[in-house]
Amino acid sequence: KLAAKLARIGKGNTFPNPAVGCVIVRNADESILGCGFHPKAGKPHAEVFALLEACGHVSDGVAAATTAMDLGDSANEGLSKQVSELFDTYISEDGASKLFNNQLGGDDVTAYVTLEPCCHYGKTPPCSQSLLMAGVSRVVVGYRDPNPRVDGGGIKQLQDSGLDVSLLGQSDSKEEASMSRVCHELVEHFVKRISPREDSSSEETLDAMINGKKRRAIRSIVGRQKSEGTVHEVAWPRDHAISKEDKVDQSFAERVAIDHRFLERVDEALWDHEIVLLRLKNVVQKKKGAKIVGERVAKILDAHLAQVVGHTALLYRPGFPPRLNLDELVESEAQ
């Protein structure tokens, strides 16, 4: 439960990664040795922050992870610098070994993690190796990671190295099943992002599949939703660094950084609603600019830009599974 609570701290800030929490406990007295969560893509994962605290490198793994969220908080500059230096060590050659090697080997220790530890090298080393190096003796996993780069590989690697690994939801325990669902809900949209779609074998893109009739059907749906007040909208956040001159500059629309938190909000809205209206007046003031930004967001999220009106852009992406049947809608409108 605590690991899930920690994961929620990072939720909304980790796109395209999942939100994950981790707690490391000494089994003899059930004392908590370290806590952590994944703060942002490209930064250490939840297990690493928990290990940093458990191995004595930081006094508070959650505070350390919070500084890595890059929220502009200058109150913890000292801790932020310390975390940055530890991160540089961690991603260096044999960095995980330098930080964690057998630091917990003298204790019987369990790591509780909401999502299966990764077992591949990306921007950071694999968490499964870090847990093994530290001397963790048992790992409890809240949800198996369906990412093809993991997909049970982290659990297998830990088990092959002699660790006791438990995956929630495998027993008849109602409490375990409940916690497994909680852990799944934390990564629900991530799971959809990395899961192959039923039509993934087709080389035809979503843009190619959406013809004029389907585009009109999407616009018709939004027209009804607007009149009913049910259209789902996501607004570009206010940014005082964006000037009036920037907003009318077409080249600015092409280069402005698209915040990962905005992308996560749009991505979740598309999975939940399939049709989302972006309000972009805080970044552009002309239709051309809205079209450019809308196309950039659509490309990142594998969505279709269905319409641009003023400084708004309408995105469509079928759910997983699809909620709207555009072929049926086109046929019904034709009748």
Side-chain angles (χ1 to χ4, degrees), residues 39 105 143 169 173 251:
Y143 189 74
S173 168
S251 64

Side-chain angles (χ1 to χ4, degrees), residues 52-72:
L52 287 174
E53 180 182 348
C55 297
H57 296 294
V58 298
S59 60
D60 187 334
V62 174
T66 302
T67 66
M69 292 178 75
D70 294 340
L71 299 178

Side-chain angles (χ1 to χ4, degrees), residues 264-322:
E264 182 135 13
R265 288 174 59 209
V266 177
D267 182 65
E268 291 187 357
L270 283 168
W271 287 123
D272 292 339
H273 305 280
E274 297 193 340
I275 298 175
V276 177
L277 185 69
L278 304 184
R279 292 206 170 273
L280 304 172
K281 66 178 181 180
N282 290 328
V283 64
V284 295
Q285 287 186 347
K286 293 188 175 182
K287 183 177 179 179
K288 284 185 178 179
K291 184 174 186 291
I292 292 169
V293 173
E295 287 175 339
R296 290 178 61 198
V297 174
K299 183 176 181 180
I300 294 170
L301 300 180
D302 292 325
H304 173 72
L305 180 63
Q307 187 179 37
V308 178
V309 177
H311 46 65
T312 67
L314 184 66
L315 298 188
Y316 164 75
R317 187 182 65 193
F320 193 67

Side-chain angles (χ1 to χ4, degrees), residues 98-147:
K98 294 173 187 175
L99 291 172
F100 308 131
N101 190 34
N102 205 35
Q103 292 290 306
L104 304 175
D107 286 317
D108 184 18
V109 173
T110 296
Y112 296 86
V113 59
T114 57
L115 186 68
E116 176 183 3
C118 65
C119 55
H120 60 279
Y121 282 88
K123 293 182 179 179
T124 60
C127 292
S128 57
Q129 285 296 314
S130 296
L131 292 168
L132 287 169
M133 286 179 183
V136 170
S137 47
R138 179 172 178 249
V139 179
V140 177
V141 177
Y143 189 74
R144 176 171 167 159
D145 189 349
N147 186 336

Side-chain angles (χ1 to χ4, degrees), residues 137 197 231 332:
S137 47
R197 301 181 67 87
V231 63
S332 65

